[in-house]
Amino acid sequence: TMSSNVRAIQTTLKEAGFYTGAIDGIAGKLTVEAVNKAAAKAVVGATEIAIVNDQYETHPENVELTVKEPTSPIKESGFVLGERSLKNLWGVHPDLVAVVKRAIQITRTDFAVIEGVRTKERQKELVRKGASKTMNSRHLTGHAVDIVPVKNGAISWRIDDYYPLAEAMATAADELGVRVRWGGSWSIINNSKNHPSDWIKAYRAGGGKFIDGPHFDLPTA
């Protein structure tokens, strides 16, 4: 189970002198700090980091402290875009395509591209259903994509499963020098000083307006 995995990691961290808390299977602040320190010394790796992240990010009070893998080099995920995802990128702005293709290489959670360029008819349908709030969508001009997490072979709609996607997209965008906005927190544009935890905090604060977790776009300004 998740808690038993965390307990084993805590034991390893304590034996290595990085962790002073209880062996309780709860990925709290002390566990996060210890994993960060241990990762920098290569005492733990990507698997342990992912386990702690997956539990830690399910608790809203923990958003300001996220576990980061060592930045050099970035761990490759092994995930690839499927044929349908690649087809859905046709006509999308090359900068955004590049970000998506880089994000799939570094994401902690597999994802699929479910929508890129939209027709006006499609946009009208989404507005009518309440799935979109505007006829001026960036999808109409190829400046937006919708991506969704894939877990155990199926699409997940749990908002917690979108945080790793936001992290991967923000990291990829920074790496490529592209400005990207997430539909989970419309007011925050990625940059090296505030992503992805600020995206997540902004979402949990209400996002500013209509929340669209799968949506990523190139902002107009």
Side-chain angles (χ1 to χ4, degrees):
T1 65
M2 177 68 73
S3 61
S4 62
N5 288 336
V6 172
R7 192 176 293 110
I9 292 169
Q10 289 171 330
T11 300
T12 297
L13 294 170
K14 177 161 282 192
E15 291 175 350
F18 291 99
Y19 181 62
T20 59
I23 308 299
D24 55 10
I26 300 172
K29 182 178 179 180
L30 289 177
T31 305
V32 170
E33 292 175 343
V35 169
N36 274 319
K37 293 176 183 177
K41 299 293 185 180
V43 173
V44 296
T47 299
E48 291 80 8
I49 290 170
I51 289 170
V52 171
N53 260 331
D54 286 346
Q55 189 193 90
Y56 186 77
E57 291 176 355
T58 62
H59 301 286
E61 66 274 14
N62 291 336
V63 69
E64 59 280 329
L65 235 182
T66 55
V67 181
K68 298 179 178 62
E69 292 187 33
T71 56
S72 180
I74 294 177
K75 177 70 175 180
E76 298 291 319
S77 69
F79 297 123
V80 296
L81 294 174
E83 183 178 348
R84 180 171 295 182
S85 290
L86 292 171
K87 184 176 180 179
N88 287 334
L89 289 175
W90 291 355
V92 173
H93 192 285
D95 286 351
L96 191 52
V97 171
V99 171
V100 172
K101 288 184 174 181
R102 179 54 180 155
I104 195 65
Q105 295 175 339
I106 60 176
T107 180
R108 292 184 289 110
T109 298
D110 194 10
F111 66 77
V113 182
I114 60 170
E115 201 153 23
V117 179
R118 287 179 189 158
T119 64
K120 288 184 179 180
E121 290 71 22
R122 169 66 173 159
Q123 189 64 30
K124 286 179 182 178
E125 177 188 358
L126 292 174
V127 171
R128 180 179 59 81
K129 291 180 177 179
S132 181
K133 297 296 184 181
T134 179
M135 279 304 298
N136 293 318
S137 171
R138 300 289 282 163
H139 282 281
L140 295 172
T141 58
H143 290 83
V145 294
D146 285 352
I147 65 176
V148 292
V150 177
K151 306 196 79 173
N152 300 318
I155 292 174
S156 171
W157 298 106
R158 292 180 64 253
I159 187 60
D160 285 352
D161 290 333
Y162 286 79
Y163 299 152
L165 274 56
E167 179 181 25
M169 287 290 287
T171 301
D174 264 9
E175 184 180 305
L176 297 171
V178 179
R179 298 170 72 249
V180 170
R181 178 176 59 173
W182 179 39
S185 55
W186 296 96
S187 62
I188 305 294
I189 310 299
N190 72 288
N191 66 57
S192 59
K193 295 181 179 179
N194 67 21
H195 82 274
S197 62
D198 278 1
W199 273 3
I200 299 171
K201 284 188 284 188
Y203 165 78
R204 285 174 168 156
K209 56 180 180 179
F210 178 70
I211 301 300
D212 190 356
H215 179 96
F216 294 88
D217 69 26
L218 303 179
T220 56

